[in-house]
Amino acid sequence: MEWIQQLVNGISLGSIYALIALGYTMVYGIIKLINFAHGEVFMIGAFVGFYAIRGLGLGLFPALLLAMLVCASLGVIIERIAYKRLRHATRIAALTTAIGVSLFIQYVTIYFRGAQPEGYPDVFPSANFKIFGVSISSQSIFILVVSILLMIMLQFIVHRTKIGKAMRAVSHDAEAAQLMGINVDNTISATFAIGSALAGAAGVIFGVYYGKIEPLMGIMPGLKAFIAAVLGGIGIIPGAMVGGLLLGVVETFVSAAGYSMWRDAVAFIILILILLFKPTGLFGKNMREKV
Amino acid sequence: MLKVDELDVFYGNIQALKGVSLDVRQGEVITLIGANGAGKSTLLKALSGLLKPQRGVIDYLGQSIVGKPAQTIVRDGISHVPEGRRVFANMTVQENLELGAYLRKDKAGIREDMRQVYERFPRLLERRGQLSGTLSGGEQQMLAMGRALMARPKLLLLDEPSMGLAPLLVQTIFQIIEEINRDGTTILLVEQNAHMALSVASRAYVIETGRIALSGTAAELQASEQVKQAYLGGQ
Amino acid sequence: GCGGGSDTSGGTEQTSGDAIKIGVNLELSGGVASYGSSLADGLELAKEQINADGGIDGKQVEFVKVDNKSDAAEATNGAIKLTGQDKVDAIIGAATSGHTIAQVQVATDKQTVIISPSATAPNVTTDDDGNVKDFVFRTSYIDPFQGTVAANFALETLGVKTAAIYADRASDYAKGLAASFKEDFEAAGGQIVAEEFYLEKDTDFRGTLTRIKSANPEFVFIPGYYGEVGLIVKQAREAGIDVPLMGADGWDSPTLIELAGVEALNNTFITNHYSSEDPDETIQEFVTAFKTKYKDKAPDAFNALGYDTLYLLKDAIERAGSVDSDKLKDALAQTKDLNLVTGIITIDEQHNPIKSATVLEYVDGKHTFKTKVNP
Amino acid sequence: MTTAPLLRVSGAGIQFGGLKAVSDVHMEVNEGELIGLIGPNGAGKTTCFNLLTGVYMPTEGEISLEGQRLNGLAPFKITRKGISRTFQNIRLFKELSVLDNVKVAYHSLARHSMFSSIFRLPSHFKEEREMEQKAIEFLSVFDLDGLKDETAKNLPYGQQRRLEIARALAAEPKLLLLDEPAAGMNPQETMELMDLIAFIREKFDLTIILIEHDMQLVMGICERIYVLDHGQLIAEGDPNFVRNHPKVIEAYLGEEVDTDDA
Amino acid sequence: MKNTKGFWGFLIFAFAFYGISQLLMVMNIIPYHYVNTMVFIAINIILAVSLHIVIGVTGQFSLGHAGFLAIGAYVSAIMTMKLQLPFFVALFVGGTIAALAGLVVGIPSLRLKGDYLAIATLGFGEIIRIMFLNIDYVGGAAGMQVSHLTTWTYAFVCLVITIVVIVNLTNSSHGRACISIREDEIAADAMGINTTYYKVAAFTLGSFFAGVAGGLYAHNFYIIQPGNFGFIKSIDILIFVVLGGLGSMSGAVIAAILLTVVSTFLQGYAETRMIIYSLVLIIVMLYRPQGLMGTSEITSWFKKKGGKSNDNRTTA
Ligand SMILES: Nc1ncnc2c1ncn2[C@@H]1O[C@H](COP(=O)(O)OP(=O)(O)OP(=O)(O)O)[C@@H](O)[C@H]1O
Ligand SMILES: Nc1ncnc2c1ncn2[C@@H]1O[C@H](COP(=O)(O)OP(=O)(O)OP(=O)(O)O)[C@@H](O)[C@H]1O
Ligand SMILES: [Mg+2]
Ligand SMILES: [Mg+2]
C-alpha cells in the first residue's frame, strides 16, 4: 500500500514538472532556444497570482488568467528585447543571454520585494480522499488533469492549426517561411506568448499546491523542466509530459526507498542512461543527419 | 509588370548588385544567366523582400515594393522558390504544400491546386506523409516548386530549379515551367543550365559580377558568341 | 587606500579616529539571504539606537557592508576586503556556520575580532582538536543545546517513547541538532524509529513523509529552516501524520505560519532564542522599537540576534576602553551576565554564550510561551 | 577475373524504417577505373556513398576494399583504409583557412603525438613543417595556393567545390567518391571540372566513382556506369550501352537525349 | 605559439610580468587584498581556458565543468589536509583525478550531441556534487576546512602552464583535428579524424586543468562546500567562454579578468550587484553576440596581414 501511495505522490510531483516542461519544450522546439528565463516567468506568474489573490482579492481562476496574461506579455517583451537581435547569432550566445535575463528577473524581483518567501493563500482547499487506503488530494488530481488537457491543447495547436504550422516552419527555416507569407516576428511572439502563459499558469498552480513562493523558486523547477523536456525529446510535447511524470515518479521512489539525499543524482543517472540508449530522448526520432 | 531600376544591394561592405535594371512584362518567361556568384540569387532575394536594397527602384504592378517585408510581397503575388530547395525538413510533404497556401483562404481552390501539384509530381504523392528532410535532393526540389505553386502566384521567381535533378526531371521541370507560364503566370528564371533556360524563355539577361552585361531575346543570346563561350560550354 | 600602513597587527592607532568601523559580512543575496537580511535589519536598529544615544564611548558606529552572496568563497573575499582595504575594527557575520568559518582564518590572520550573530555549529569557535579560536565569538547558543532541550521536552513534558527525525542535511546546524537530539533521546530510553534527511530548497517531501508515517512515530523532530519546514509541516499533516512535531529556532518566522497554515501548526513546538510574546521588559522594548522602524513587522529571532550582537560588541568595547583587538577579544571573552533580548549572556571558555532557551507552542497560528529552559 | 577488384559490394542495402532506400546492390570496381553512378532523384545514390564510407551501416550485404571487410567500421577508419569523398551539399570546415582545410585531411597520416605537440618536441616541428609544405604544394595543383589564408566560407561556390575535392584527395585515398561535383555549375565550368577530374586521376593514380546528373559529363568521362532506380541496380555497362538501355531511358533519361556529340 | 619565437616571447613576457608583480607585492605597493583578487582572477582564467578547449575549440557543449572543479578541489584538499602531502603534489593529483573523471564521463556522454550532451554533462556535474554532499569524510554539506596555501606564485605558474599547453595543442595538427570536429563532425570523420578520440581527449585535458583550478580554489578560500560547485558555477565558467568569444582563447582570458573584476568591484553594492552583472551580460551579448573577441586571437592584432576577424557571423 505504501508503494501505491508513493506512486500517487510521484505522479503529483511529476505533473508539476510536466506542467512547466510543456511550455518549455514548446519554445525550445520552435525557437531552438534553451530559454533559461522560463523558470523566472514561472516565478513571476506565481507572484502575479499571489498579488492578484491577496491584493486584488480575486478568486483562483481570475488570478490564473491574469497571471497567464501578464506572463504572456512578459514573454513577448523578453523575446523582443533580449532574443530578437540574436536570432541569427549562435545558439550558445542566445543561451547566455537567456541566463542573463533569468538572473536579471530574479534579482530585480528581489530588489523590489526582498528574498523572503511568501505563503500562498489557500484558495483551493484540498480535500483528501482515500481509495483503498491510498490518500489522494483533490489538488493533485486537478494538476494532473490540467497538465494533460494543456498537453492535448498544445499538441493540437502546434500540429493542427495554421499558427502551429507557421511555428514549425519558422523553427526550421525562417527565411523560407517568410516566402510563404508567414510573419516571422509575430509567429515567434505567439510562441513565446503561449509558452510563457503556460509557465504563468504553472506558477500559480505550483503556488497553490505547495503554498510557498519566492524569487528564486524558478531555478530548480526550471532545471527539472529542462531535464523533463530533454528526457522526452526536445520539442516533443507528449514527450515533455512523459518526461515530467517519469522524473517525478523516479524522484519520489528514490526518497521512498530512504535515499532522499541521492534523489537528484538518481534522476540524473536515469536521464543519462536513457540518453545513452536513446540519444534524442524517449520520443525523439532517431533521425541521423542526412548527408 | 515588374520594373527594376538602378538597384544596388550590399552584404556588409560587399556590393553584390551594382545598378541593375531590368523589366518583366506580363506573361513572359525571363531568364537570368550568369556565373557563380554573379548576383543572380541576390537579385531574386531583393525582389521577394528577403534583402533590402540600399538604392534603386522596384515597381511591381505600378507600386513600389522596395523595403516591404517578404511576407507582404507574397501576398501581392510574387512567389520565390529559393536556391537550395529550403523545404521544411521537419514537416511532411503534405504540410509543406499546405504552408505554400498559407495566405489563402479559399479551401476549395487550395484542394484543387493540391491535386494539381500531386498530378504534376506523382513522386510527391507517393511520399506525401514522409518528412521532407529525408527526401532526396530532386524530390525536395519538386516539393519546393509545388509549394510555391500553392500560393497561385502572378510572378514566380525560380532560383536554379534544375540544380541536382535527373535529366528526365529537368525536362519535366522545364515542361512544368512552360505549362505554368501558359496558365498565365509570369516567370523570372535563374539558371545555370543556359541551354534549357534559353529554350523556354522569351527574353534573357546576362549578369556578370553584379551588373547586367547583356540582354536581348532568347534567340539573340543563343546566337551570341560571347554567351556561347562563357555559358553554353562553347562548342 | 594603499601605501604605508603595512602594520596589520591590530591597528592600535585607529581608535583615535572619529568613528568605530564595523565590517558586516552577511548573506544579503543568494540562498539564505533572508537570514542575512534579517540580521542586517536588527543590526541597523541597534546602530541607530546606539548612535542616537551618543555612540560607543562617544564615537559613532559605522558599518561597512559586504554581501557574501551566500557563498563561502565570497565570504572569504569579503573578509579580506574588510580587513585589508577598509581596516575595520571588528567583523560581524556571517549568518550561517559555513560562511562564518570561511571568514575565520582571514580574521585570525589579521587579528580582527569576528562575531557571528547566528552561527550555531560548535566548530565555529573551536577547531577540530578543540582549541579555541582566539578572535571568534558568537551571540547564539550552539546546536547541541537545543537538541538536548528538545529531547528532554519530548520525553518529559510530552511523554512520548518513539520519535522520528527529519533533518536538513545541507546544514550543519540541523545535523548538529539531529545528532544531539538522537543521543539524548536514546540515552533517556526513547527509541528513534526513522531518521530521514532532506535538502534545502526541496519543495516536495511527500515521498519521505509517507515513509516516516509507516514507521509510526509518536513524535517527529524536524530541525531545519522555516522555508522548508513550513512545507514539511503542511505536507506531513496532509499525509496523515498527526503526532506532535518539534523544531528549533530555524522555524521562527512569520512566514512559517503562512506556509504551513494555522491548522497544521497546532500541536507543534519549537525551542528558540526568545519569544516576541515574552513579557520580559527588555524584549518588549525591543519589539516596540523594531515595529516602529520596520512598518509593524514583528521581529524574528534573527532580528533579535543581529540586534544583540552589536550590543554585545558595544559592551566589550566599553569595557576594553578601546578597539584594540587584543583588548577587545579579552573583553568579549569576559562578558558576564549581560542582559540582552535573547537572554542574559555569559561567554564561556569556548567563546559560546551561556543563556536560556525558550520553548514555544504554536496555538492557532500564534507562538505561545511554553517554558524557559536554563542550561 | 584474374585480379581481385579494388572495391567489391555484394548484396549491400539499407532500410530506413519501412523504406528500403538501397537493396541488393552488387558492384565491382577495379583499380584505375572511373565509374559513374546515376539514377533518378531519390534512387539511393548518395545513400550508396554513405554505405561505402560508413556514415550508414548496411543492414544487409557486404562491402570490401582490397579484400578487407568494411562493414561496421567507423567512417574515419574507412577513410584511413583508402576511401575518401565529397558531399552533395558542400561540407567544408567553414571557419578554417583553405590551407587548414587541407591540413586536417593530412592529419590522419601524421605520426607525432599530442604529447609532442603540447611540449613542442622536435617531432612536432618536423611533422608540422612537412604537412604545411605538402599542403601548399597540393593547393597549387588545384590553383588554390593564392587563397591559402582565406577563410573557406568566403570562397565562391565553384572554388569551394574544388577545395572540397582537394581536401578529399589530401587524405590520399585509393578510391575517391564524388557526389554531384558539377551541381550548380554552368556548362563552361563543368567542362573545366571534367578536365580537372581527368587530371587528378592521372596524377594521383586514382579510382573514382562519381554521382552526377549532367549527362554530358558522365557520358563524356566515365568508362563504366551503374544505374540505380528505387534503390536497385537496373543497368550496368559502358556509356553507349547505358544510354540506349530501355529501362534507363524510361526511368531516368527520358526519350530524347541531346548528348550525341560526346 | 606557432613557432619557437612566439613561444619564448610569451614565456619571457610571462616571467617579466610575474617578476614585476611579485616585486610590487613584496614592496607592498599592491596590497594584500588585491593579491587575493589577482589569485582569484588567475583561477578563473584557468577555468575559462580549460572550458575553452572543450567548447571553443572542439565544439562540445559541456555544462558540467564545475564537477571537475569540485573533484580537483576535494581531492587536493584531502591530499594536503588528510594525507599531509605537499601542495604541488596535491594540485597534480587533483588534476589527474579530475582528468580521470573527465575520461570516464566523456567516453559515454560525448556520443551525444548539442543540447543532449549539455544536459548529460550537467547531470554528471550534479552527480559529482551530490556525491561529495554525501561523503562525511569530506564534511558532507557543511564542507571541509582547508588551509590557505595558494599563493600568487602557485596561481601564476599554473596559469602559465595551462595557457602554454592549451595554445600549443590548439596550434598543432591535433588542435586542427579538434577544430574540424567543431566545424563539421561528419566531414571531420570522413577526413579520417577519430572524432571520439579527440572529443574525449579535449574533454579530459579540460577536466585536468579544471581540477588544477579546483586545487588552487580550495586552498585559497579556507572552506569548500558542495554548494560551491553547483550548476550555477558551471554556468559562470561558461559565461567567461561565451562572453570572450567562442573559439578565442584570449577572449576567454579577457572575459574571465573582466567579469572577476566587475564582480569584485560590485561587492560593495549588495542590492544591485547581480542586477548590474546580469545587465552587463545581456548588453554585451546583444551588441556583440559573437563575444568580445569573436573567433580571433589577440595576437592577430599584432600581425600585419591575415588578421581579418570573422565578424560577419551574424549573416551566416
Ligand atoms: N550572406 C552573404 N554575405 C556576404 N556575401 C554574400 C552573401 N551572399 C552572397 N554573397 C556574395 O554576393 C555575391 C553574389 O552572390 P549570389 O548568391 O547572388 O550569386 P549567384 O549568382 O546566385 O551565384 P550561384 O550561381 O552560385 O548561385 C557573391 O560574390 C557572394 O559571395
Ligand atoms: N536518413 C534517412 N532517413 C530516411 N530516409 C532516408 C534517409 N536517407 C535517405 N533516405 C531516403 O532514401 C532515398 C534515397 O536517397 P538518396 O539521398 O540516396 O538519393 P539520391 O539518389 O542521392 O538522390 P539525389 O540525386 O536527388 O541526390 C530517398 O527516398 C530518401 O528519402
Ligand atoms: Mg545563386
Ligand atoms: Mg544524392
Side-chain angles (χ1 to χ4, degrees):
Chain A
M1 203 48 63
E2 191 193 331
W3 289 97
I4 299 174
Q5 177 71 56
Q6 295 290 21
L7 185 66
V8 170
N9 292 340
I11 290 174
S12 322
L13 176 62
S15 358
I16 290 271
Y17 289 155
L19 202 55
I20 311 168
L22 284 174
Y24 204 110
T25 211
M26 187 185 93
V27 172
Y28 196 179
I30 304 235
I31 322 294
K32 295 291 173 317
L33 167 75
I34 305 179
N35 183 15
F36 256 86
H38 194 79
E40 277 53 55
V41 174
F42 158 82
M43 177 270 287
I44 295 289
F47 273 100
V48 170
F50 174 80
Y51 290 118
I53 297 168
R54 266 288 157 77
L56 307 178
L58 296 184
L60 173 63
F61 286 95
L64 192 71
L65 233 62
L66 184 68
M68 290 174 78
L69 222 69
V70 171
C71 287
S73 334
L74 179 67
V76 172
I77 292 170
I78 293 175
E79 196 278 325
R80 287 277 152 121
I81 294 178
Y83 303 153
K84 193 175 165 195
R85 284 182 68 103
L86 295 172
R87 285 213 198 124
H88 303 287
T90 52
R91 293 195 46 213
I92 212 166
L95 169 75
T96 309
T97 312
I99 292 168
V101 171
S102 149
L103 287 174
F104 182 76
I105 299 178
Q106 283 167 15
Y107 286 93
V108 166
T109 311
I110 291 178
Y111 184 79
F112 282 112
R113 65 161 301 285
Q116 74 284 1
E118 205 78 68
Y120 225 74
D122 223 358
V123 278
F124 190 88
S126 171
N128 270 317
F129 44 90
K130 291 204 170 208
I131 303 171
F132 309 120
V134 174
S135 101
I136 302 174
S137 86
S138 52
Q139 282 182 354
S140 37
I141 292 180
F142 170 71
I143 295 169
L144 184 65
V145 170
V146 167
S147 47
I148 290 175
L149 285 179
L150 285 178
M151 174 192 77
I152 295 171
M153 199 182 81
L154 263 192
Q155 184 74 353
F156 181 81
I157 290 178
V158 172
H159 287 274
R160 292 277 175 275
T161 65
K162 210 163 164 177
I163 183 77
K165 284 201 187 98
M167 285 172 178
R168 287 188 293 145
V170 167
S171 111
H172 184 259
D173 186 338
E175 209 171 67
Q178 250 181 312
L179 294 177
M180 304 296 109
I182 294 166
N183 185 326
V184 173
D185 287 342
N186 291 353
T187 306
I188 291 181
S189 291
T191 309
F192 267 86
I194 295 173
S196 304
L198 286 185
V204 176
I205 291 173
F206 182 95
V208 170
Y209 186 56
Y210 287 111
K212 177 176 125 178
I213 61 173
E214 42 143 351
L216 300 179
M217 69 187 271
I219 301 175
M220 270 333 262
L223 185 62
K224 294 280 166 70
F226 179 27
I227 297 173
V230 173
L231 196 60
I234 294 169
I236 297 164
I237 289 160
M241 181 86 207
V242 173
L245 287 177
L246 188 66
L247 197 63
V249 169
V250 167
E251 286 188 3
T252 307
F253 273 27
V254 175
S255 296
Y259 297 98
S260 56
M261 298 309 297
W262 293 93
R263 192 189 56 203
D264 288 355
V266 173
F268 275 115
I269 288 171
I270 287 178
L271 170 83
I272 291 166
L273 284 179
I274 288 177
L275 285 185
L276 289 183
F277 289 102
K278 287 220 60 163
T280 50
L282 283 176
F283 290 63
K285 294 221 178 56
N286 219 337
M287 198 171 75
R288 253 174 308 175
E289 198 180 348
K290 187 176 181 296
V291 291
Chain B
M1 178 179 209
L2 181 77
K3 190 161 173 47
V4 179
D5 206 25
E6 291 292 316
L7 203 64
D8 284 356
V9 177
F10 288 80
Y11 292 105
N13 307 325
I14 309 165
Q15 185 167 8
L17 290 186
K18 302 159 188 161
V20 168
S21 304
L22 56 81
D23 63 306
V24 179
R25 290 188 284 268
Q26 188 92 41
E28 280 190 307
V29 178
I30 301 289
T31 184
L32 198 62
I33 54 181
N36 274 303
K40 307 180 295 292
S41 305
T42 307
L43 178 60
L44 293 200
K45 283 185 185 171
L47 296 180
S48 65
L50 289 178
L51 285 173
K52 243 195 208 112
Q54 270 69 15
R55 209 173 59 84
V57 182
I58 306 174
D59 275 340
Y60 170 69
L61 296 175
Q63 260 191 338
S64 168
I65 52 167
V66 173
K68 272 201 189 180
Q71 69 266 14
T72 44
I73 291 179
V74 188
R75 204 184 289 273
D76 296 341
I78 301 183
S79 256
H80 180 179
V81 179
E83 188 175 15
R85 299 148 196 161
R86 309 285 282 271
V87 295
F88 300 114
N90 51 345
M91 298 166 110
T92 62
V93 168
Q94 172 88 18
E95 284 174 323
N96 266 275
L97 292 179
E98 284 167 9
L99 274 169
Y102 185 76
L103 290 174
R104 290 171 60 183
K105 301 250 174 331
D106 56 325
K107 288 228 169 86
I110 294 176
R111 219 172 305 124
E112 169 55 24
D113 285 0
M114 181 90 69
R115 198 188 53 72
Q116 227 169 41
V117 167
Y118 281 138
E119 208 169 287
R120 273 180 180 146
F121 307 102
R123 174 59 71 105
L124 293 185
L125 186 62
E126 244 174 72
R127 299 282 158 100
R128 64 191 290 175
Q130 186 175 338
L131 290 185
S132 60
T134 63
L135 292 177
S136 79
E139 292 161 347
Q140 289 183 358
Q141 186 65 57
M142 295 182 225
L143 180 57
M145 291 268 293
R147 191 178 62 178
L149 291 179
M150 292 299 296
R152 265 200 197 165
K154 298 196 187 89
L155 174 61
L156 187 61
L157 312 177
L158 294 174
D159 199 343
E160 301 197 27
S162 75
M163 179 149 107
L165 289 201
L168 185 61
L169 271 165
V170 175
Q171 290 168 19
T172 317
I173 293 274
F174 277 97
Q175 267 163 24
I176 292 166
I177 292 173
E178 284 180 315
E179 265 174 51
I180 297 167
N181 178 245
R182 217 174 302 128
D183 295 348
T185 311
T186 312
I187 291 173
L188 179 54
L189 170 69
V190 162
E191 255 304 332
Q192 294 282 6
N193 194 335
H195 276 300
M196 289 294 256
L198 289 173
S199 72
V200 298
S202 49
R203 287 189 303 124
Y205 291 85
V206 176
I207 185 166
E208 271 171 17
T209 57
R211 289 201 169 80
I212 300 289
L214 266 180
S215 64
T217 65
E220 275 166 22
L221 289 186
Q222 238 160 348
S224 146
E225 273 309 310
Q226 204 184 334
V227 173
K228 268 191 190 163
Q229 273 299 328
Y231 305 107
L232 298 177
Q235 304 98 358
Chain C
C2 48
S6 60
D7 177 17
T8 50
S9 63
T12 40
E13 240 59 271
Q14 283 163 19
T15 30
S16 61
D18 32 33
I20 293 177
K21 236 173 156 182
I22 295 169
V24 175
N25 185 340
L26 288 174
E27 296 81 342
L28 298 177
S29 64
V32 287
S34 63
Y35 306 132
S37 335
S38 281
L39 290 173
D41 287 349
L43 280 163
E44 282 295 335
L45 176 62
K47 182 181 93 174
E48 212 169 77
Q49 287 181 353
I50 289 170
N51 284 345
D53 287 350
I56 304 176
D57 281 344
K59 293 193 204 77
Q60 293 284 299
V61 176
E62 223 177 66
F63 285 163
V64 184
K65 273 195 205 170
V66 166
D67 173 18
N68 62 38
K69 293 209 290 185
S70 306
D71 180 290
E74 295 282 353
T76 307
N77 264 344
I80 290 169
K81 176 181 172 285
L82 289 175
T83 53
Q85 189 179 326
D86 302 313
K87 306 222 175 337
V88 296
D89 298 311
I91 296 177
I92 293 177
T96 65
S97 303
H99 303 148
T100 306
I101 291 170
Q103 305 178 40
V104 160
Q105 201 168 341
V106 178
T108 306
D109 288 349
K110 298 285 172 179
Q111 308 217 346
T112 306
V113 163
I114 174 166
I115 311 178
S116 167
S118 52
T120 47
N123 67 349
V124 169
T125 55
T126 55
D127 65 20
D128 293 343
D129 306 323
N131 301 317
V132 178
K133 299 173 184 169
D134 279 345
F135 289 89
V136 188
F137 298 86
R138 69 173 114 216
T139 318
S140 58
Y141 42 57
I142 58 172
D143 300 332
F145 176 58
Q146 283 193 87
T148 308
V149 171
N152 291 341
F153 178 79
L155 288 163
E156 284 158 23
T157 313
L158 300 177
V160 300
K161 289 269 167 293
T162 59
I165 300 174
Y166 192 19
D168 179 357
R169 176 69 181 255
S171 87
D172 261 359
Y173 156 76
K175 271 160 68 183
L177 281 173
S180 65
F181 176 85
K182 185 178 179 187
E183 190 180 312
D184 290 336
F185 193 78
E186 284 178 341
Q191 190 199 349
I192 303 290
V193 293
E195 193 177 2
E196 297 290 336
F197 294 98
Y198 64 90
L199 280 175
E200 59 169 339
K201 297 206 189 81
D202 283 356
T203 47
D204 197 297
F205 306 93
R206 293 180 170 87
T208 310
L209 286 170
T210 303
R211 190 178 153 84
I212 289 176
K213 181 170 190 288
S214 42
N216 263 325
E218 293 171 85
F219 173 87
V220 186
F221 185 55
I222 313 175
Y225 296 111
Y226 63 87
E228 289 81 25
V229 168
L231 299 187
I232 293 178
V233 169
K234 181 174 175 223
Q235 291 174 20
R237 295 306 191 213
E238 278 171 12
I241 299 175
D242 300 322
V243 298
L245 311 177
M246 184 160 186
D249 57 335
W251 286 36
D252 181 28
S253 163
T255 312
L256 177 82
I257 300 155
E258 287 176 29
L259 294 181
V262 168
E263 221 165 285
L265 266 180
N266 283 336
N267 201 20
T268 63
F269 307 86
I270 63 171
T271 53
N272 206 351
H273 302 273
Y274 100 118
S275 157
S276 60
E277 265 122 53
D278 194 329
D280 181 285
E281 199 180 320
T282 322
I283 293 177
Q284 284 315 313
E285 271 171 24
F286 164 69
V287 171
T288 316
F290 192 91
K291 282 187 169 169
T292 320
K293 183 166 163 64
Y294 293 105
K295 296 186 222 150
D296 241 16
K297 179 179 172 287
D300 59 24
F302 283 90
N303 293 138
L305 286 169
Y307 180 86
D308 277 1
T309 303
L310 193 62
Y311 275 99
L312 174 66
L313 188 60
K314 170 176 184 276
D315 169 70
I317 295 174
E318 281 168 356
R319 277 186 291 109
S322 89
V323 288
D324 175 275
S325 51
D326 278 322
K327 288 186 193 151
L328 187 54
K329 78 166 203 301
D330 292 341
L332 271 169
Q334 284 153 16
T335 304
K336 199 162 175 1
D337 294 335
L338 179 63
N339 190 7
L340 296 176
V341 175
T342 60
I344 300 165
I345 288 189
T346 299
I347 299 287
D348 69 9
E349 291 99 71
Q350 258 90 47
H351 288 187
N352 296 322
I354 304 169
K355 59 179 179 178
S356 52
T358 307
V359 176
L360 306 174
E361 178 176 5
Y362 284 95
V363 178
D364 295 330
K366 291 218 159 51
H367 281 156
T368 51
F369 182 74
K370 188 102 180 166
T371 58
K372 209 159 187 164
V373 185
N374 290 315
Chain D
M1 199 165 285
T2 46
T3 54
L6 177 70
L7 175 78
R8 187 198 292 273
V9 179
S10 27
I14 185 167
Q15 201 162 344
F16 297 111
L19 181 81
K20 276 204 160 173
V22 170
S23 68
D24 197 31
V25 167
H26 291 266
M27 277 175 146
E28 284 188 356
V29 179
N30 296 314
E31 223 169 297
E33 277 191 301
L34 205 172
I35 303 287
L37 181 58
I38 62 172
N41 298 110
K45 305 180 295 296
T46 300
T47 307
C48 271
F49 274 17
N50 286 338
L51 291 176
L52 291 179
T53 52
V55 174
Y56 296 153
M57 242 206 277
T59 45
E60 57 180 61
E62 190 173 330
I63 299 169
S64 60
L65 187 75
E66 295 181 313
Q68 279 178 291
R69 210 175 121 92
L70 298 182
N71 292 44
L73 286 187
F76 78 92
K77 287 199 174 134
I78 292 182
T79 305
R80 290 177 184 188
K81 289 210 182 297
I83 302 183
S84 153
R85 73 180 289 185
T86 65
F87 296 90
Q88 185 166 358
N89 311 310
I90 300 178
R91 303 185 82 113
L92 287 171
F93 306 123
K94 292 200 187 76
E95 298 286 332
L96 287 182
S97 71
V98 168
L99 183 65
D100 283 349
N101 262 281
V102 174
K103 280 193 193 168
V104 167
Y106 273 130
H107 176 77
S108 61
L109 306 169
R111 241 168 299 281
H112 64 302
S113 65
M114 213 184 284
F115 184 84
S116 78
S117 281
I118 287 175
F119 295 99
R120 286 293 187 254
L121 303 181
S123 65
H124 161 85
F125 289 105
K126 187 167 151 285
E127 290 263 358
E128 295 274 338
R129 218 176 307 116
E130 278 175 19
M131 216 182 267
E132 172 119 4
Q133 266 167 11
K134 263 188 1 199
I136 290 176
E137 270 171 41
F138 202 83
L139 283 176
S140 65
V141 171
F142 285 84
D143 248 355
L144 287 167
D145 49 338
L147 293 165
K148 71 180 168 62
D149 291 323
E150 190 62 58
T151 309
K153 68 166 187 202
N154 293 336
L155 290 186
Y157 181 83
Q159 279 168 340
Q160 293 199 8
R161 278 255 172 240
R162 266 226 299 276
L163 176 56
E164 212 194 8
I165 297 175
R167 187 183 65 179
L169 281 178
E172 300 187 357
K174 299 175 184 120
L175 174 64
L176 177 67
L177 309 180
L178 301 172
D179 196 346
E180 300 199 24
M185 290 188 173
N186 65 37
Q188 179 58 33
E189 291 162 323
T190 306
M191 301 281 274
E192 290 167 21
L193 180 75
M194 282 164 72
D195 292 343
L196 181 71
I197 293 174
F199 172 73
I200 55 171
R201 182 184 174 207
E202 279 305 300
K203 185 166 166 74
F204 299 99
D205 242 347
L206 279 175
T207 310
I208 297 177
I209 306 179
L210 65 83
I211 297 177
E212 193 43 77
H213 288 302
D214 188 322
M215 283 308 106
Q216 209 166 325
L217 188 150
V218 174
M219 300 295 172
I221 62 174
C222 295
E223 288 140 14
R224 212 146 55 81
I225 297 172
Y226 286 93
V227 188
L228 272 177
D229 187 25
H230 290 291
Q232 282 175 316
L233 285 179
I234 55 168
E236 181 222 321
D238 63 27
N240 249 323
F241 172 76
V242 166
R243 187 186 326 195
N244 299 311
H245 195 290
K247 267 195 188 167
V248 180
I249 293 178
E250 189 205 323
Y252 185 60
L253 295 172
E255 319 81 58
E256 17 119 32
V257 196
D258 50 349
T259 49
D260 20 332
D261 51 346
Chain E
M1 273 138 268
K2 284 223 159 76
N3 47 38
T4 25
K5 228 196 294 168
F7 177 68
W8 289 110
F10 173 79
L11 278 191
I12 290 167
F13 171 78
F15 280 100
F17 181 81
Y18 171 74
I20 294 169
S21 62
Q22 193 64 22
L23 194 72
L24 293 179
M25 280 171 205
V26 172
M27 288 165 57
N28 236 309
I29 296 173
I30 303 179
Y32 178 68
H33 58 275
Y34 285 133
V35 177
N36 192 267
T37 307
M38 284 167 65
V39 169
F40 197 35
I41 288 175
I43 293 173
N44 280 341
I45 294 177
I46 297 176
L47 283 173
V49 172
S50 67
L51 187 61
H52 157 80
I53 188 76
V54 178
I55 297 188
V57 176
T58 319
Q60 303 303 305
F61 190 3
S62 163
L63 270 183
H65 216 54
F68 304 109
L69 175 71
I71 291 180
Y74 274 100
V75 170
S76 66
I78 291 169
M79 294 295 127
T80 56
M81 302 308 291
K82 312 258 177 186
L83 308 180
Q84 263 70 40
L85 290 171
F87 186 38
F88 70 92
V89 176
L91 284 178
F92 185 75
V93 176
T96 308
I97 304 282
L100 279 177
L103 190 71
V104 170
V105 168
I107 288 173
S109 56
L110 286 168
R111 295 185 0 199
L112 302 172
K113 299 214 168 25
D115 298 338
Y116 295 101
L117 173 62
I119 194 104
T121 47
L122 188 154
F124 274 116
E126 287 292 289
I127 290 170
I128 290 169
R129 184 181 63 81
I130 293 167
M131 232 172 57
F132 285 120
L133 193 67
N134 284 291
I135 299 177
D136 282 328
Y137 180 67
V138 294
M144 177 171 179
Q145 295 190 48
V146 188
S147 334
H148 182 89
L149 296 173
T150 303
T151 60
W152 171 237
T153 308
Y154 267 111
F156 191 79
V157 169
C158 291
L159 173 61
V160 169
I161 293 175
T162 310
I163 288 183
V164 168
V165 168
I166 302 285
V167 170
N168 280 353
L169 181 74
T170 311
N171 291 322
S172 76
S173 187
H174 303 282
R176 269 193 306 277
C178 293
I179 297 174
S180 73
I181 295 170
R182 173 189 81 192
E183 291 294 310
D184 190 328
E185 194 173 337
I186 289 175
D189 210 342
M191 287 303 109
I193 306 286
N194 185 344
T195 53
T196 311
Y197 173 81
Y198 279 103
K199 284 195 278 183
V200 173
F203 201 73
T204 307
L205 193 68
S207 305
F208 175 83
F209 287 114
V212 171
L216 294 169
Y217 182 97
H219 294 83
N220 193 43
F221 291 118
Y222 304 94
I223 184 167
I224 47 174
Q225 295 174 304
N228 303 144
F229 306 105
F231 91 105
I232 305 276
K233 184 81 197 171
S234 295
I235 283 178
D236 283 345
I237 307 170
L238 176 74
I239 287 175
F240 294 147
V241 179
V242 178
L243 196 74
L246 271 184
S248 165
M249 194 197 75
S250 28
V253 172
I254 292 169
I257 296 173
L258 197 77
L259 287 183
T260 316
V261 170
V262 167
S263 179
T264 311
F265 174 76
L266 287 176
Q267 210 153 35
Y269 309 88
E271 294 84 11
T272 45
R273 71 178 285 185
M274 287 309 288
I275 298 180
I276 295 172
Y277 180 88
S278 56
L279 273 180
V280 167
L281 191 64
I282 295 170
I283 291 169
V284 173
M285 289 321 290
L286 284 185
Y287 289 94
R288 274 197 78 81
Q290 70 276 44
L292 295 171
M293 296 290 295
T295 48
S296 58
E297 295 292 345
I298 205 160
T299 45
S300 69
W301 293 1
F302 303 116
K303 286 186 200 147
K304 275 171 214 90
K305 54 166 196 165
K308 247 183 267 172
S309 69
N310 302 311
D311 280 353
N312 40 6
R313 267 209 173 174
T314 40
T315 57

